[in-house]
Amino acid sequence: QVQLVESGGGLVQPGGSLRLSCVASGIIFSRYRMGWYRQPPGKQRELVAFITSGGSTNYADSVKGRFTISRDNAKNTVFLQLNALEPEDTAVYYCNARLGYIDFWGQGTQVTVSS
């Protein structure tokens, strides 16, 4: 059974930081492209960043220079470091594992940026 379990969300003031984690089980983690998506209130889910099995990264323009994605294959974990947070970053953040046409999703973790 495949599971992706996110953690690290919460309430933070503008300009603050958070670190999200996603632990995967039931897959050969190192083979998967791992990504973070988010769904702001009342909007569609959007890609935030992904990291390939080879370690290449890609970011949405809105988060470049502020967010950093990384992975630890030994721990089956992908991270998203969120810095300089803005109210517009408020969303449910979802972890994604993708291999070809296979997609797995976590349950999401809420990030709220508010003073």
Side-chain angles (χ1 to χ4, degrees):
Q1 182 180 0
V2 177
Q3 282 192 313
L4 302 178
V5 180
E6 301 102 332
S7 62
L11 173 63
V12 63
Q13 293 185 343
S17 297
L18 285 173
R19 190 191 196 204
L20 307 183
S21 300
C22 170
V23 180
S25 58
I27 61 173
I28 302 176
F29 181 82
S30 61
R31 295 184 181 179
Y32 281 73
R33 189 195 88 166
M34 299 301 299
W36 287 95
Y37 289 71
R38 68 185 181 186
Q39 187 164 15
K43 297 184 179 180
Q44 292 187 332
R45 191 175 298 189
E46 61 185 14
L47 174 68
V48 175
F50 66 78
I51 182 167
T52 68
S53 57
S56 297
T57 58
N58 184 277
Y59 296 90
D61 287 343
S62 59
V63 307
K64 282 181 181 176
R66 301 189 299 123
F67 293 5
T68 303
I69 190 170
S70 60
R71 65 192 297 162
D72 184 338
N73 289 339
K75 296 183 178 179
N76 285 6
T77 303
V78 61
F79 304 97
L80 186 68
Q81 178 68 42
L82 294 71
N83 296 331
L85 281 161
E86 304 168 352
E88 294 73 22
D89 297 315
T90 295
V92 178
Y93 284 70
Y94 295 91
C95 178
N96 170 260
R98 178 169 296 175
L99 180 63
Y101 294 103
I102 300 171
D103 259 330
F104 298 109
W105 294 91
Q107 81 288 349
T109 186
Q110 177 71 46
V111 171
T112 301
V113 184
S114 175
S115 55

